[in-house]
Amino acid sequence: MDAFLQAALAEARQSLAEGGIPIGSVLVHDGVIIGRGHNRRLQQGSVVLHAELDALENAGRRAAQLYRQCVLYTTLSPCAMCSGAILLYRVPRVVIGENTTFTGEEVLLLSRGVQLQVLQDPECIGLMRGFIAARAEVWNEDIGASPCQR
């Protein structure tokens, strides 16, 4: 397994250990992780702390050009909010651990020229399937699904 996906998975496991949703992400520039994060909505009582946004936040303020040279690794397909941040900062490439439990805004990202690589990693899939089975109501809240959309 790719070392950067392993780092994102470590973040996902950390979130789960903290009582959160097991999604992790790392932002990589020139082969070095410059930001890492995990979904912390439950832990922080936040409406926006998805893994990708947490990784961007933890990378700190950077020159706009730097983001255009990065790769974002995430254990799960990015939602609309996280895809918006990817587009805003013009991150050119996203490596996705899996999209079988949730397919985010991949069509939008592709339409805007973002290169996507979906790995269908068994550990990423297993983490999310286990979480969704155990805490479906929390998962549906995280992705903005109302009871009518389930």
Side-chain angles (χ1 to χ4, degrees), residues 4-45:
F4 299 125
L5 183 60
Q6 285 181 358
L9 264 165
E11 289 291 327
R13 285 188 220 100
Q14 182 177 344
S15 182
L16 188 61
E18 294 170 356
I21 301 167
I23 304 168
S25 184
V26 295
L27 184 65
V28 177
H29 180 259
D30 284 340
V32 175
I33 296 173
I34 62 169
R36 57 178 60 233
H38 53 273
N39 188 303
R40 295 194 293 156
R41 288 187 67 247
L42 296 175
Q43 300 92 310
Q44 300 292 322

Side-chain angles (χ1 to χ4, degrees), residues 82-104:
C82 296
S83 294
I86 290 164
L87 294 173
L88 178 68
Y89 291 102
R90 298 184 184 169
V91 176
R93 184 168 173 249
V94 178
V95 177
I96 300 167
E98 68 104 348
N99 67 0
T100 62
T101 58
F102 176 77
T103 302

Side-chain angles (χ1 to χ4, degrees), residues 21 23-25 39 41 47-54 56 72 74-88 94-96 98-99 101-110 114 116 128 139-145:
I21 301 167
I23 304 168
S25 184
N39 188 303
R41 288 187 67 247
V47 297
V48 296
L49 273 181
H50 282 193
E52 298 88 342
L53 296 179
D54 196 36
L56 285 165
L72 182 72
T74 182
T75 58
L76 185 66
S77 184
C79 72
M81 177 174 62
C82 296
S83 294
I86 290 164
L87 294 173
L88 178 68
V94 178
V95 177
I96 300 167
E98 68 104 348
N99 67 0
T101 58
F102 176 77
T103 302
E105 297 296 326
E106 293 176 21
V107 172
L108 172 63
L109 291 169
L110 288 167
V114 178
L116 301 181
M128 284 309 302
W139 171 240
N140 286 326
E141 175 191 323
D142 193 67
I143 61 171

